Amino acid sequence: MAAGRGGSVPERPGDHWDRKVAAGLAFLRRRLSGDYEVDEFGFDPELTGKVLHPVLRLLYRDWFRTEVSGMEHVPVDGAGLVVGNHSGTIALDALVLSAVLHDRHPAHRYLRLLGADLVFRMPIVSELARKSGGTVACNPDAERLLGSGELVGVFPEGFKGIGKLYADRYKLQRFGRGGFVSAALRTGTPIVPVAIVGAEETYPMLADIKPLARLLKLPYFPVTPTFPWLGPLGMVPLPSKWLIEFCPPIPTDHLTDSADDPLVVFNLADQVRETIQQTLHQLLERRPDPFGP
């Protein structure tokens, strides 16, 4: 009778799951028929939002118990270059950062990650990287993305960062030639440094078997407390506590004429690196126990 007088009809217990199944079938139908859009880089927002990010969300929220601060420093709209420290043997930090930024940012922005050539030469991994918005870490691609107002993520330490030994944890490696700074300068894009604590403990690298790495054409072959001893189980990350802090942006729009000046590029890259390193020290003081609550 309440429904007849304009009241709402109570939801039956099965209605929620019926909707989920219907949405899932509709998603599969679109994928199989090719009824979805990708951009010029291969970015697939639907697949990223409905498949990849939910998996990463469980990882960063429930397994790593991630705490995030400073999100107000990430631009609400327009271009931004997010520069982070890289670590952890496997580049989980880049994936987690992209999911965290999308979930916690008020505009739910996607982070377009720049990756090493090796990533885009690996079967399956290459396709997933493209689908999730990644592209090769080169200045032309970075400048095209920034020029179109995207948020771009870069980890200047590269394999030197994720492949360092646990004894060198939270010590930033060299930032290369500062190509990310040149891209920011040419487009007048603000640089947002971000410090990530926690990734170092997910797969602590105790040793690097270099002959095996050369044989397999890999940048390193890690030995961790669980890999290769436990086989596939050694790929399960340890449940370290993560802290992620976005630092105040560094403007570059007043330096657009200095994109080819090596001294300006070096000084700005060094400023970004020092900002991240100091923030890492502060975060480590807040997290004395790597596996605490």
Side-chain angles (χ1 to χ4, degrees):
M1 293 180 63
R5 292 195 297 269
S8 61
V9 178
E11 186 178 272
R12 292 175 298 177
D15 288 349
H16 173 72
W17 291 108
D18 287 345
R19 286 198 300 272
K20 278 189 170 293
V21 170
L25 291 173
F27 172 77
L28 287 175
R29 202 159 39 240
R30 286 195 301 275
R31 305 308 300 185
L32 292 172
S33 66
D35 185 20
Y36 58 90
E37 295 182 359
V38 297
D39 69 6
E40 60 179 310
F41 294 94
F43 176 44
D44 186 336
E46 183 183 51
L47 184 70
T48 302
K50 292 185 179 297
V51 178
L52 302 179
H53 279 180
V55 174
L56 292 169
R57 189 173 300 123
L58 290 173
L59 191 65
Y60 83 71
R61 186 184 60 194
D62 301 327
W63 191 248
F64 295 141
R65 309 171 306 287
T66 305
E67 295 181 13
V68 183
S69 57
M71 188 62 75
E72 67 276 7
H73 298 310
V74 180
V76 174
D77 52 34
L81 185 64
V82 179
V83 183
N85 58 299
H86 218 10
S87 63
T89 307
I90 294 178
L92 280 181
D93 49 7
L95 301 176
V96 165
L97 182 66
S98 65
V100 163
L101 196 150
H102 180 264
D103 286 354
R104 304 293 180 86
H105 192 277
H108 300 293
R109 301 193 67 183
Y110 286 105
L111 184 65
R112 308 299 296 272
L113 294 170
L114 303 181
D117 292 350
L118 177 63
V119 173
F120 297 95
R121 294 200 304 267
M122 299 170 66
I124 302 176
V125 173
S126 171
E127 185 69 14
L128 286 175
R130 289 285 183 189
K131 292 285 189 183
S132 62
T135 190
V136 179
C138 64
N139 271 27
D141 280 7
E143 290 173 25
R144 282 165 62 200
L145 285 167
L146 292 172
S148 60
E150 298 283 357
L151 275 182
V152 175
V154 63
F155 295 83
E157 294 171 281
F159 287 121
K160 298 189 300 294
I162 58 175
K164 66 178 179 288
L165 297 177
Y166 187 63
D168 297 321
R169 60 193 179 278
Y170 299 115
K171 297 176 183 176
L172 265 63
Q173 306 300 297
R174 287 183 60 251
F175 266 20
R177 300 174 183 175
F180 70 97
V181 170
S182 297
L185 290 175
R186 286 194 175 90
T187 55
T189 300
I191 299 174
V192 181
V194 58
I196 304 171
V197 160
E200 297 275 20
E201 292 86 14
T202 54
Y203 302 102
M205 189 190 296
L206 306 179
D208 175 12
I209 306 178
K210 296 184 185 298
L212 193 52
R214 286 194 293 269
L215 179 65
L216 298 174
K217 297 182 179 179
L218 297 173
Y220 52 86
F221 188 91
V223 175
T224 76
T226 59
F227 181 85
W229 327 113
L230 299 182
L233 283 176
M235 299 299 291
V236 176
L238 297 178
S240 56
K241 170 72 175 179
W242 284 41
L243 303 177
I244 298 177
E245 181 166 337
F246 295 90
C247 305
I250 300 171
T252 67
D253 52 354
H254 61 297
L255 296 170
T256 52
D257 294 334
S258 303
D260 296 316
D261 186 331
L263 184 60
V264 172
V265 170
F266 174 81
N267 287 339
L268 193 51
D270 193 56
Q271 180 184 352
V272 174
R273 186 180 182 278
E274 186 62 24
T275 299
I276 296 173
Q277 185 67 78
Q278 292 303 317
T279 307
L280 286 175
H281 291 324
Q282 296 166 12
L283 293 178
L284 287 168
E285 290 180 2
R286 281 173 44 194
R287 192 212 63 164
D289 181 1
F291 298 99

